[in-house]
Amino acid sequence: VALGVLLSILHYSAPLRGLFFVNLCTVLSKPGPLDSFRCPLVANASGDVLEVGPGAGANFRCFVNATTQIDSYTTVEPNKDFTSVLLSEAASQNLSFEITPTWLRGEEINVPDASMDAVIGTHVLCSVDDPEQVLLNIDKSLKVGGFYYSMEHVSASPQDRPVLSLSQDLLSPFFKIIANGCTFRDAEAEIFSALGDRYEIEINRFDAPMPLAAFKPHVSIVAKKLKAA
């Protein structure tokens, strides 16, 4: 009954849903086994960097011992309730570069075209309204030769993992409420559809060390921009 009441409140109250999600992310973004997949990916970013959907700042700790040089680091996050958490996490890591936060949706990225050497997005595409537009904005922001570093939880194949796929289908309506719009998607296909013809794309499919099996299917992607649109 209590769970039903909570889900009902979150479903009908966007402000409370946003606050709940901040607290959930803050707990889930603590250092853990997933960092062994996250940090080797995002720590390659260098130069002028854009991070889409930083949330509670889980990626910041990946740069503590990184050997790459960050010249600027801009974040794009739609949920302003993350403000204090994000800036506190950045300060606690004693980063060698400043964070410039902007409070926009991924569909509204407004950095100058071809201004970024790297774009980072981890656990982002699951919750955006228009993943194609977000990816097009990422593409516009990247210089030729720049890199898009992505890690997403993904939908399981109904053919290869039918039980897991069914569990995701059953969890999806509840997950979408408590995770503020996040759901299970084929992020790999979305990235290939938007970027595949002009990018060199490396893919790593893996089962992440997550507490629930439904969230284990993951993909990490390194996409190098070869030419402009």
Side-chain angles (χ1 to χ4, degrees), residues 144-210:
V144 173
F147 289 88
Y148 171 40
Y149 300 101
S150 172
M151 184 181 74
E152 302 285 346
H153 66 76
V154 294
S155 54
S157 166
Q159 292 77 32
D160 299 333
R161 309 179 82 172
V163 175
L164 194 55
S165 177
L166 177 61
S167 71
Q168 289 181 335
D169 290 342
L170 294 173
L171 279 172
S172 188
F174 308 102
F175 183 47
K176 193 169 185 177
I177 295 172
I178 66 172
N180 205 23
C182 194
T183 188
F184 300 99
R185 281 177 167 157
D186 188 350
E188 180 181 333
E190 291 171 342
I191 290 172
F192 263 95
S193 176
L195 307 179
D197 60 335
R198 292 177 294 103
Y199 282 69
E200 179 182 274
I201 300 177
E202 298 178 9
I203 306 166
N204 177 33
R205 304 177 187 91
F206 62 98
D207 276 358
M210 306 293 279

Side-chain angles (χ1 to χ4, degrees), residues 12-24:
Y12 289 107
S13 175
L16 288 178
R17 191 166 61 246
L19 282 170
F20 181 87
F21 185 57
V22 168
N23 286 281
L24 179 65

Side-chain angles (χ1 to χ4, degrees), residues 39 43 59-67 92-97:
C39 288
N59 288 328
F60 294 162
R61 59 180 171 269
C62 297
F63 293 101
V64 172
N65 296 312
T67 57
S92 72
Q93 299 299 337
N94 194 28
L95 300 173
S96 61
F97 50 89

